[in-house]
Structure formats: C-alpha cells, structure tokens
C-alpha cells in the first residue's frame, strides 16, 4: 500500500477519485492499493517557549535560542492558555496509522515552500522513515494530476525547498518570540508584537503616513491655452510655473492681448507598448485591489477557490512566465474561452498562428508558472469569483496579443516669449489594447488628438486661463501600493550594489504577503481609511519605538528572502543562515530591552464606577485595576478604535466626542457619541438624541 497525503480534504478527494480510492473511512479514503489522507494546513508547528520550560515574559531567559527546535501539534486558545487542537490530534493519529501500514508515501501537499513544510513537519514529528515521492503539479485538472503521477519525483529532490521553508519558519520564531518579549518587557504595558516581516511592513506604512501628514502643500500656477485647427480643439500648457498668482495673472493678460501662439517644434515618435505578462499572485492582488477594492487576502482566497474548482492554475506563484512545454496547451485555452459570451469579441481579435511568445521563458519560471485558466470553463460563479476569473482570462488574451503601437507627438509653442507644450497620441496598431478596448492606463491622463501641425504655424488663442495647482504629498498606501512596495523593497535602498542584488527581491513572498498585511490588522497596528491603509495609535507607537532599530530594516529583510531563495536552490547553507538569525535575534533583543518607553503619554484616569482605583489602559480595553469592581470598556466599538482623548472624555465627562464612521451589525455606517449611563454601562447617543444600549 501507498499513502498519498494532500494538504486539504477537497484536494484529497480529487486525487482519490483519479487513483480509484473510493472507499470512505474516517479521515481517509482507500482502494486500488492506496490510502489517501490529508492535513488541515499546518498540523504541526514549532513549540512555544513554554515547551522549553520558559513561562511568562522573563528578561533573564532572553534571548531564547533553542539548541533543538521542538515540534508540537497545532494549538488553540482556551481560557487563558493554549491547548492542543483536538481535530489536529485526531487527524494526526490517522496519518500515523496509515504511514505505518504503507510501504511508501506520495506527497501531494501544495507544490510550494509552505506545502513542503506542512508535510515534512508531520513526517519529522511522527519520526517516520518511509521513502517518499513528490507530486508536483500546477493545476488540479484530471490531465495535470495524471501527468504528475506519471512524473513523480524523488522526495530528496526537494530538500532545498524544505530547508528554505524550515529556515523561514525558525527565523520567524527567533525574531518574533524574542523581539515581542523584549519590547513588551521594556514597555511594561501590554504586548507589543513584532515580527521579521510584519515590522518592516508596518514601518513602510507608518513612514509613508507621516511623510503624507507632515507634507506642506504649496500652490503654483500654470497658464493654459485653447486652440482650434481643422475643427480639432486642443490645449497647450505653459512650461513655466509661477509661484506668485499675481505674476501669473499679469502674464495671462499680456498673452490675451497678443492673441496668437507660434508652433516652434513638432516631434513625432513611434512608441511600442509590449503586452503585459501573465499575472503572478502579487500582480493579481494589486489589480483586484485597484479595480475591485478587494484585500490581498480576499483575492488569494477567491483564487484558491477557483484553483480547487479546477478553473485556474496554482495561484501562489511568483512567476509571470510559462515554460516551453506548456506553450502547446495555450491555443486550447483560448479556444475554450470562445464559448463564453464575455470573451467572444476579445477572442475574435486574436491573431491565430501569430500568438506572442513573450510569456515563454523556462529560466523565469519559479516553483510554478504564471496564472493561467484551465480548459475547464466555469458556468456558474459568484460575482467576485467571476471578476477574478475574468481578470486572469483577459490577461492571458492580452499577453498573447501583439504590441500596441502609438504615435506620440510633442508640440512646442510660444506665446509672447513664454514656452508652451501640447501632447498628442494616435493609435497606429491597437494590438493587445484592443482586447479590453482600453488605450491608456488608469493612472495616466488621457492624451488629446492633435491636428496636422508644422513649425512656424500661427495658432489663434481661443481662450487662455490660469490653472491653480498644488504640490502633492506622497500618497498613502492602498493595499495595491503596499504590495508593490513589499515586492520591490530593494528599490528603496541607497547603496547601488545592494540595490542591484535585491532589485527583484521583496519582503515576504507572493504566498505570504496577504497574511502579513492581515496580521497588522489583527494586531490593531493598521486600519483602513476608505482605500488607504493608515497606522493606528498603537501602530505609530510601535513604529516610533523601533524605527531606528534593525527590526524595522526593510533592506535586511529583503536580503533574508534572497538567502532563503539561495537555500531553496541549494546555493547556500541553511545552518549558516540559522546561525545568522540567532545572532540577529540576540542583538535586537538587547537593543529592544534598552528601549525606554515613555509612559507619560497615557493619562492617569480614575475608575468612574468605584472612583478609587486607577484604570489600566491597553490597546484593546480600558479596565479597573480592582478585580472586584471589574469595570471594563472595549476600545474597538463598531469597527472604530476609540482614541485616548475620547476614553479620557468618557471617563471624566461621561461622553465622547462625535465618533464618525462606525459600522452597525447590518453593515451600515453611522455617527454617534458614546455615553456612560447611570449603571456605568455605555450606549450610543445620536445627534437627534436617539440612544440604544450596546
């Protein structure tokens, strides 16, 4: 017998159907010489400090650097502690029994770093020594799975992948555990969670937020002229920008008296816009955030669902290319789209026999190729799934199309002795832009049509006006912008050699970036303001504490991703990386333990109920220090974090200021005051004096 282990029950069922294991048992399927079972994601993880006999946050125990890392069954929170997850224990027992009854194992967990880790940690925890082979597939279609079984690879071929996954897992433990404990001990006021990738990501958001907030906007003025020639209206704008409005107005009057502008130069050049490459996961997440306002995690979950329904290939990919052997399947995918009404028109524009091969590059394919649809075309998807599927399908059609060729014309004009410019654009060959019929990117201003112009032409000025402009602060990060910054963290670096090495290396990986952003929300470090991501009071406080420290260094984190990639490709030593992480964890622990945290920014408030004890102010709650009194107020009310000033106002005056943008259970936004009632419980008071208890 052989045991096949998948990452999830749904994938196990697909595989079981193909290998003929149709007999359902508790926790597995069997038949035709196979047991087919599954994990539920990470069943086994690294043990917490308690497993090493270190309880609580103890300064003397830091830094914690295990000689041997202990593996433990997944834990769930219970009361004040953690206990082993009963579901995980039960499934682990099933897996152990099947491994013992088998001659060998086929690993069918997701084909990537984390999928490898899920299996290897189970294998190691169970002290299993049975031989294993690896099923490596990029889609769950019957054809792909069969091909995968025909080409099973020896498990040892993926040792580099496992060592990189294990290195990432241990590095996150060493940094996360030690840094969190060190800063929390130094603070003496609540838990300050820090992490190897989480903290540099928070630093990116906070730095941008403060640059935006502290930016001083200045005004300046341009002059715009309107012209008409050959029945075509077009505009030109002054090269000069005036910082004094009166000077701009005086110049305008002089130009208006002059009434004409002279063409001083006409330059037309042909611009070739190559089609976009396929989506990798981060590219899809950025596009879905811009167009559909979906979070990175939502997009990943939708893509994962489409993958499990066999409609798209493996989504957790960092590549935008396909290997040569997949190219032969591409025409079938395009043909399959013909039958769906949405794509008929787009497919009719495709040049059969002349598909663009830019996406084919064996050297640029990582664990998995770029995102493709499969030949199984969906008929009934929910709206969000439909939108994500459309993005992937249209991107494939665009990528296979020819380049778009435009003629860009730059015209120089002179009115009085001031220089003006006008820009025009003509599409000569639509190419890939005809697929969706969009000829300019969303973030570029539409370019106007220009008449035939030549040097020396005199143009009448139909109208002239002064335009008031403002300097723009650095834009706050949206999730799409943050994903870009995480993806290209190396670009920010000042050292040119380092920048070259890290130019394509970011922080986190396509598979983990969504979870990192969600962690910052869970920790109450960031919040959404419309589409923008902004830090909370707590997030800014953490940033202020660590911004000069190594743990906030984006470049260093990017270097580690590079090191992990090298370990994966057997080009670097995993033990040397771990040693480096231990040294790093020791140095940041010492750095953070010396951090002085000013407590005086928190007001000293007396409990409104017992009127004798001081209140303990935490980021999630405010409570009386006397357990008998037990007065408590949660700080997150209807999806809004209540600031310190409002807590102070509630306790001393019985009422907060008007809190805007709260969300009711029905999902509706409302504004209200939070008021303290006679029974010391709180309720809402609306501007029209309606109130109801929370």
């Amino acid at each position: 017998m052989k045991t096949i282990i998948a990452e999830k029950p749904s994938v196990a069922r697909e595989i079981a159907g193909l290998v003929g294991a149709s007999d359902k048992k508790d926790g597995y399927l069997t038949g035709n010489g196979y047991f087919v079972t599954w994990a539920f994601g990470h069943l086994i993880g690294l043990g917490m400090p308690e497993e090493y006999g270190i309880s609580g946050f103890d300064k003397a125990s830091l830094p914690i650097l295990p000689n041997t890392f202990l593996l433990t069954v997944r834990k769930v929170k219970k009361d004040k502690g953690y206990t082993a997850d009963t579901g995980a224990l039960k499934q682990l027992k099933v897996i152990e029994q099947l491994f013992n009854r088998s001659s060998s194992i086929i690993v069918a967990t997701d084909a990537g770093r984390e999928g490898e880790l899920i299996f290897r940690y189970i294998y190691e925890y169970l002290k299993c020594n049975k031989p294993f082979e690896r099923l490596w597939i990029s889609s769950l279609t019957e054809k792909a799975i069969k091909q995968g079984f025909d080409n099973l690879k020896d498990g040892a071929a993926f040792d580099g992948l496992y060592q990189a996954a294990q290195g990432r897992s241990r590095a996150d433990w060493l940094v996360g555990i030690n840094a969190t404990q060190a800063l929390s001990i130094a603070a003496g006021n609540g838990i300050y969670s820090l992490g190897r990738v989480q903290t540099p990501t928070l630093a990116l958001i906070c730095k941008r937020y403060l640059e935006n907030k502290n930016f001083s906007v200045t005004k300046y003025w341009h002059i715009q002229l309107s012209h008409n020639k050959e029945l075509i209206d077009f505009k030109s704008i002054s090269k000069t920008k005036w910082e004094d409005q009166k000077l701009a107005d005086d110049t305008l009057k002089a130009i208006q008296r002059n009434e004409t502008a002279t063409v001083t130069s006409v330059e037309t050049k042909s611009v070739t816009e190559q089609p976009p490459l396929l989506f990798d996961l981060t590219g899809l997440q950025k596009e879905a955030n811009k167009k559909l306002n979906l979070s990175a995690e939502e997009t990943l979950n939708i893509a994962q669902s489409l993958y499990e329904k066999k409609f798209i290939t493996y989504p957790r990919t960092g590549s935008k290319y396909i290997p040569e052997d997949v190219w032969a399947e591409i025409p079938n995918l395009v043909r399959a789209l013909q039958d769906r009404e949405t794509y008929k028109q787009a497919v009719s524009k495709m040049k059969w026999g002349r598909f663009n091969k830019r996406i084919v590059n064996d050297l640029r394919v990582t664990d998995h190729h770029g995102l493709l649809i499969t030949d199984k075309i969906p008929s009934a998807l929910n709206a969000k799934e439909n939108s994500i599927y459309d993005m992937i399908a249209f991107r494939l059609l665009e990528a296979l199309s020819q380049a778009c060729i435009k003629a860009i014309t730059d015209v120089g004009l002179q009115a009085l002795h001031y220089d003006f410019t006008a820009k025009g654009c003509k599409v000569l060959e639509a190419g890939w832009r005809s697929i969706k019929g969009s000829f300019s990117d969303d973030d570029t201003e539409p370019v106007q049509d220009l008449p035939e112009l030549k040097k020396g032409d005199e143009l009448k000025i139909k109208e002239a006006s002064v335009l008031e402009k403002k300097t723009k602060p650095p834009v706050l990060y949206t999730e799409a912008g943050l994903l870009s910054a995480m993806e290209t963290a190396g670009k920010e670096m000042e050292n040119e050699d380092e920048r070259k090495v890290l130019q394509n290396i970011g922080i986190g990986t396509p598979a983990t970036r969504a979870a990192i952003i969600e962690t910052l929300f869970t920790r109450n470090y960031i919040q959404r303001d419309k589409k923008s991501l902004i830090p909370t009071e707590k997030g800014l406080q953490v940033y202020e504490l660590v911004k000069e420290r190594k743990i906030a260094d984006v470049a260093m984190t990017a270097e580690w991703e590079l090191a992990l990639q090298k370990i994966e490709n057997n080009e670097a030593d995993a033990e040397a990386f771990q040693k480096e992480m231990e040294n790093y964890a020791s140095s940041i622990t010492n750095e953070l333990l010396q951090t002085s945290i000013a407590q005086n920014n928190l007001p000293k408030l007396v409990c409104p109920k017992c009127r004798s004890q001081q209140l303990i102010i935490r980021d999630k709650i405010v409570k009386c220090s006397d357990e008998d009194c037990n007065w408590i107020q949660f700080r997150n009310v209807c999806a809004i974090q209540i600031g310190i000033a409002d807590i102070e106002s509630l306790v001393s005056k019985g009422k907060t200021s008007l809190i805007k943008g709260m969300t009711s259970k029905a999902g509706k936004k409302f504004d209200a005051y939070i008021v303290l009632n006679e029974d010391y419980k709180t309720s809402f008071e609306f501007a029209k004096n309606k109130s109801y208890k929370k």
Side-chain angles (χ1 to χ4, degrees), residues 659-670:
I659 294 168
K660 296 187 172 182
M662 291 191 278
T663 309
S664 71
K665 282 181 183 169
K668 291 187 175 164
K669 297 276 183 194
F670 68 95

Side-chain angles (χ1 to χ4, degrees), residues 85 107 133 177 214 241 270 291 348 353 375 380 393 483 508 545 555 585:
D85 179 343
V107 184
E133 294 173 292
I177 296 286
N214 299 330
K241 62 176 183 185
S270 175
K291 301 276 169 63
S348 71
D375 55 9
L483 284 165
L545 297 171

